[in-house]
Amino acid sequence: HKGAQRVLQQLSSSADGESPMSLRGVRVGIPVEYNVQELDDQVRAAWDDAATRLQELGADVVEVSLPSTRLALPAYYILAPAEASSNLARYDGVRYGHSSVDDESIDGVPL
């Protein structure tokens, strides 16, 4: 919450301390899928404050839908182990030892 307040304060005044910056012509999308019932009250308040402040600065704040958001976690649980497996495959020779006839290793670990 404090981080959001800091950003809002920075948006409230320009570097020279005079007028706030303008966001006229900027469109900001707020995903409706992220505004869940279980959202902490402080987070929701910071979210609402930020949206209000962005509107005050001239931004067009609109609701957007990211329907594939619900698939993000299942996709992660598929991709993460596959990525880890492919990254760890390069160490396969360490586990099973070097199997070349011209073995140039110390205790089976290639040099």
Side-chain angles (χ1 to χ4, degrees), residues 51-108:
T52 300
R53 186 64 190 133
L54 290 168
Q55 286 176 325
E56 290 170 356
L57 292 171
D60 183 22
V61 178
V62 296
E63 286 187 349
V64 297
S65 179
L66 302 174
S68 59
T69 296
R70 65 181 186 83
L71 300 174
L73 193 58
Y76 169 80
Y77 279 114
I78 291 170
L79 295 174
E83 181 182 4
S85 176
S86 67
N87 283 334
L88 294 173
R90 63 184 162 176
Y91 298 113
D92 203 30
V94 173
R95 180 174 175 193
Y96 296 107
H98 191 69
S99 60
S100 172
V101 179
D102 302 324
D103 190 24
E104 295 182 15
S105 62
I106 299 173
D107 295 329

Side-chain angles (χ1 to χ4, degrees), residues 34-49:
Y34 296 173
N35 192 5
V36 295
Q37 185 176 7
E38 298 82 14
L39 195 63
D40 184 88
D41 290 339
Q42 289 182 337
V43 174
R44 188 178 312 281
W47 182 330
D48 292 339
D49 290 347

